[in-house]
């Protein structure tokens, strides 16, 4: 009987202790605000998730206090539906490009924001002013200039509106890719934005609403501060059309040697390219077969040689 009573007492104490712990965790230590994150290329940012009315109020403050900046970032706690997009558009906010983690770039309409209408988007949880570093590739945040990005022997101030530059001649000039928000017209507005920073336009990237430009390296961060700019990154290294080192790069010599002893026997590869392969080239050893009549192509022959040349 004594053992049973002790067991009952222990169980009763354990139950009471569990209740006490739960009570302390629920009532003694109230939980803080919900948080989320947005993972930019330059680093992760923690965001505080608020209620839709609170977020709508933040948006109103941003729309009134940043007269020169119509672009912001908004974050949701769930994927956005077409109906929600329509509600926000009618309320004066247009969603633009997706930034990841249920966050979007967005733009205020010129007519202003209807705060009361924005409260009706139940998944709207955060509104943020866009920071400079979110717009820059990590290397540009660190002021790193890759050697291949430096423009050598180029003179600024060439004739033609799209080659205009007001930068001093002795500054280091670099090439960068600049992407603009979708509501920034690439022909009418984007050139004026980059010209203010001594840039020279080399090419237009219409499919992604961007420009390839050359500008003084000291102007990159001030260009990122422009409201219409979404992202700036350094150029890729210049491509070369020589493939004499591809065997080493791809490890072909390794797999063709012992213990693998692979030689491609029994493997068929389809090359779908911009023309016919020169099947008579001696490097193919009779292994290339042409199945179309689109006309001979040096590029197709080059690609096929990478895949199956000896």
């Amino acid at each position: 009987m004594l053992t049973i009573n002790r067991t009952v007492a222990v169980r009763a104490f354990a139950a009471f202790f569990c209740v006490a712990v739960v009570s302390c965790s629920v009532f003694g230590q109230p939980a803080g605000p919900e948080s989320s994150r947005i993972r930019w290329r330059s680093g992760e940012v923690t965001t505080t998730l608020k209620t839709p009315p609170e977020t709508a109020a933040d948006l109103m403050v941003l729309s009134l206090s940043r007269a020169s900046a119509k672009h912001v970032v908004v974050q949701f706690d769930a994927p956005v539906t077409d109906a929600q997009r329509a509600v926000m558009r009618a309320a004066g906010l247009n969603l633009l490009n997706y930034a990841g983690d249920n966050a979007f770039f967005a733009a205020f309409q010129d007519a202003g924001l209807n705060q009361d209408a924005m409260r009706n988007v139940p998944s709207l949880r955060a509104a943020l002013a866009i920071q400079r570093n979110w717009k820059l590739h990590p290397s540009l945040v660190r002021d790193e200039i890759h050697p291949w990005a430096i423009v050598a022997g180029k003179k600024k101030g060439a004739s033609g509106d799209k080659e205009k530059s007001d930068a001093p001649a002795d500054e280091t000039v670099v090439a960068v890719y600049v992407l603009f928000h979708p509501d920034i017209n690439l022909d009418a507005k984007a050139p004026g934005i980059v010209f203010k920073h001594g840039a020279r336009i080399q090419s237009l990237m219409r499919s992604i609403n961007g420009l390839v430009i050359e500008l003084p390296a000291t102007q990159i961060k001030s260009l990122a501060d422009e409201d219409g700019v979404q992202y700036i990154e350094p150029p890729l290294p210049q491509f070369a059309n020589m493939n004499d080192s591809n065997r080493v790069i791809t490890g072909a010599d390794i797999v063709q040697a012992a213990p693998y002893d692979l030689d491609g026997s029994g493997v068929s590869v389809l090359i779908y390219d911009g023309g016919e392969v020169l099947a008579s080239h001696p490097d193919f050893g009779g292994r290339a077969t042409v199945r179309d009549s689109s006309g001979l192509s040096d590029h197709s022959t080059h690609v096929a040689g990478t895949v199956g040349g000896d």
Side-chain angles (χ1 to χ4, degrees), residues 274-277 290-297:
E276 297 177 31
V277 171
V290 176
R291 296 289 179 89
D292 66 25
S293 58
S294 57
L296 188 63
S297 167

Side-chain angles (χ1 to χ4, degrees), residues 228-245:
V229 171
Q230 179 181 301
Y231 191 66
I232 306 176
E233 67 180 14
L236 294 171
Q238 184 175 2
F239 292 152
N241 59 5
M242 302 300 294
N243 64 355
D244 58 351
S245 59

Side-chain angles (χ1 to χ4, degrees), residues 70-141:
K70 64 181 295 185
H71 296 95
V72 292
V73 168
V74 289
Q75 189 176 29
F76 305 83
D77 61 8
V80 179
T81 66
D82 290 341
Q84 290 172 334
R85 283 177 178 268
V87 169
M88 288 183 280
R89 187 164 53 249
L93 185 73
N94 296 331
L95 290 192
L96 303 176
N97 287 338
Y98 184 59
D101 299 301
N102 286 324
F104 289 81
F105 290 104
F108 295 117
Q109 298 174 12
D110 293 337
L113 185 73
N114 184 331
Q115 181 178 342
D116 291 335
M118 289 299 301
R119 296 168 180 260
N120 297 323
V121 183
S123 60
L124 180 63
R125 304 299 300 277
L128 308 166
I130 301 175
Q131 305 302 309
R132 172 197 282 177
N133 285 1
W134 302 353
K135 300 181 174 189
L136 291 170
H137 185 276
S139 65
L140 299 181
V141 173

